[in-house]
Amino acid sequence: MLSLRTISRSIPRTFSRSIASSALRPSTLVKPALRQPLKQAVKPAYAAFSTSSVFKAPASEGDIDLLAKLEDELKHEKSSDIPEFEEQQENIDAIVKNGEWTVKDVEGEQEVILSKKFGNETIRVSFTVADIQNISEQDEFDDAALSDELDFQNQNQGAEELEQPEPSFPARVNVTIEKASNGALLIQTVVQDGVFQIEEVSHFAKAELAQAQTAEKDWARQSLYAGPPFENLDEDLQGLWERYLEERGLNAEFANMIPDYISVKEQKEYLRWLDAVKNFIGA
């Protein structure tokens, strides 16, 4: 799991600007006695457009230090964890290809959308890199405490015991399943350690409400009955819903892929952000 990064966004910018001047020519019809006052009136207005030394001021020492630090951070990030990310990317590509998923992953945007057809259904899976950025310090402390506890248990159980894998971070994943003229299901889940933990299953007569891409639609959706908490359902019914997702390719392999996808995309976006900010400061 990637460590959280915090870089202050104090980004002053200096620039230079010069404005070309044009000669002001008084009309030949103006009497000589009136020409001198005219020149005196024009001169202050003309001087106001001259290049000021403020615009030619060099970058501050803070700008120079910030630019150097951004360049160092960019070089460090480009050289670190390359084999790990390449392996994760290969695994992601294989799962996406085998599952016949279409990916919408726009540079600079946080949300990722995977979609495909399944019989008469259109399945849409969405998640965001914000989940890895919003992990609190308390979560990191809890993970560290859990890791220490597992290490202690492993030592007591003997060398023959396998080391427990590091738990993955929770990622919120929304699944919409749409049927033409029959509305759509919205299945809200949290993915962690290869498991889709279903929190709520809702049905909407209008499929557009399941996605709710505008504030108006989101407000309209919130006014409707969303169904009971998933944990309140009969255990057999809960199991059948989990099977329902698995038959559509939302299985353990797919669930394990999502945190990897978030990690890889977050790294790409971070590098893109570093490069953009560095270019801005150095302009």
Side-chain angles (χ1 to χ4, degrees):
M1 181 177 63
L2 297 179
S3 59
L4 300 180
R5 313 178 184 93
T6 304
I7 298 180
S8 63
R9 301 188 180 187
S10 174
I11 310 177
R13 186 187 185 187
T14 60
F15 59 95
S16 62
R17 179 179 61 184
S18 63
I19 301 178
S21 61
S22 58
L24 298 179
R25 298 180 179 179
S27 172
T28 55
L29 298 178
V30 180
K31 295 181 180 180
L34 296 178
R35 287 182 181 176
Q36 186 62 26
L38 179 60
K39 290 182 181 180
Q40 294 175 351
V42 171
K43 186 174 182 180
Y46 176 79
F49 288 92
S50 62
T51 302
S52 172
S53 60
V54 174
F55 298 123
K56 292 184 177 180
S60 66
E61 292 184 4
D63 289 11
I64 297 173
D65 291 342
L66 177 58
L67 182 60
K69 182 60 178 177
L70 288 169
E71 290 176 343
D72 289 343
E73 181 71 5
L74 188 58
K75 291 178 182 178
H76 172 74
E77 289 296 327
K78 285 183 176 180
S79 62
S80 63
D81 296 330
I82 292 178
E84 178 184 353
F85 285 119
E86 288 180 348
E87 182 179 349
Q88 288 178 326
Q89 187 64 62
E90 290 176 359
N91 182 58
I92 292 167
D93 294 340
I95 293 175
V96 168
K97 181 179 180 180
N98 294 336
E100 299 181 344
W101 294 96
T102 299
V103 180
K104 180 184 178 183
D105 183 350
V106 180
E107 292 184 359
E109 294 186 4
Q110 295 195 107
E111 188 179 44
V112 176
I113 301 174
L114 279 67
S115 58
K116 73 173 183 178
K117 299 290 292 185
F118 182 80
N120 65 337
E121 301 172 354
T122 299
I123 303 176
R124 181 177 182 270
V125 179
S126 62
F127 49 88
T128 172
V129 300
D131 284 328
I132 197 174
Q133 297 171 343
N134 293 334
I135 300 174
S136 65
E137 293 182 359
Q138 182 61 42
D139 292 333
E140 291 186 332
F141 176 80
D142 292 342
D143 288 345
L146 177 60
S147 178
D148 292 342
E149 181 180 352
L150 290 174
D151 290 342
F152 178 77
Q153 292 176 355
N154 290 335
Q155 291 175 3
N156 290 341
Q157 290 173 357
E160 69 278 3
E161 293 290 340
L162 295 177
E163 182 179 355
Q164 295 291 336
E166 180 182 355
S168 65
F169 60 88
R172 183 163 296 279
V173 179
N174 286 340
V175 180
T176 59
I177 301 176
E178 179 182 347
K179 290 185 179 180
S181 304
N182 285 281
L185 292 176
L186 170 61
I187 305 176
Q188 301 183 59
T189 75
V190 173
V191 169
Q192 188 172 21
D193 299 329
V195 177
F196 279 94
Q197 303 171 13
I198 302 176
E199 294 187 336
E200 197 172 77
V201 178
S202 307
H203 175 264
F204 300 96
K206 296 182 179 179
E208 60 186 15
L209 293 180
Q211 300 182 16
Q213 296 181 351
T214 64
E216 292 78 9
K217 292 177 182 178
D218 184 60
W219 177 261
R221 183 174 74 181
Q222 293 181 22
S223 66
L224 301 176
Y225 177 67
F230 187 76
E231 61 184 8
N232 292 347
L233 297 177
D234 178 83
E235 290 185 2
D236 291 340
L237 185 54
Q238 292 183 33
L240 289 173
W241 274 116
E242 293 168 357
R243 176 182 173 185
Y244 180 82
L245 292 180
E246 289 180 359
E247 291 177 342
R248 284 156 177 77
L250 305 180
N251 50 26
E253 183 183 45
F254 188 88
N256 280 319
M257 180 270 295
I258 291 176
D260 286 347
Y261 199 120
I262 292 175
S263 297
V264 172
K265 179 170 175 59
E266 197 275 342
Q267 177 69 2
K268 291 179 180 178
E269 294 300 333
Y270 180 55
L271 290 174
R272 192 173 294 116
W273 177 85
L274 281 173
D275 191 56
V277 174
K278 177 181 71 69
N279 291 336
F280 178 85
I281 297 298

